[in-house]
Amino acid sequence: MSAVYRSILLATPGRLAGAVIAAVAADAALAWRLGATPALPAYLVFGAAATAVSVTDLAARRVPNRVTGPLYGPGVGLLAVASAASGQWWPLG
């Protein structure tokens, strides 16, 4: 994480605590809604990343490519594993 984004996220202890609470709440809501499905890990990664992107966007008015770019590979990988586990490949099509 670059110094600019680190300084934005860590500008105040309240902002960092709020981001952590929001990420935990988003992941808890996703886990409650989806249950124990094979796709849950992919959605949890997305929920945590979306929270970090939202905090940075609200503070700096820009979306950090350093957060969004590296998530394409793991996101596709986790969704492929979920499709293989459930035997339904059509959602990836």
Side-chain angles (χ1 to χ4, degrees):
M1 182 180 288
S2 73
V4 173
Y5 297 119
R6 190 176 303 117
S7 67
I8 291 169
L9 285 174
L10 302 176
T12 63
R15 184 178 292 162
L16 179 61
V20 170
I21 291 170
V24 169
D27 283 349
L30 284 169
W32 175 75
R33 174 65 177 96
L34 295 174
T37 63
L40 183 61
Y43 287 112
L44 293 179
V45 168
F46 172 74
T51 303
V53 168
S54 297
V55 168
T56 306
D57 183 33
L58 289 172
R61 301 281 190 239
R62 57 182 166 177
V63 176
N65 289 332
R66 290 181 184 227
V67 175
T68 57
L71 290 175
Y72 288 121
V76 171
L78 287 169
L79 289 174
V81 169
S83 291
S86 66
Q88 298 178 352
W89 291 97
W90 61 268
L92 290 178

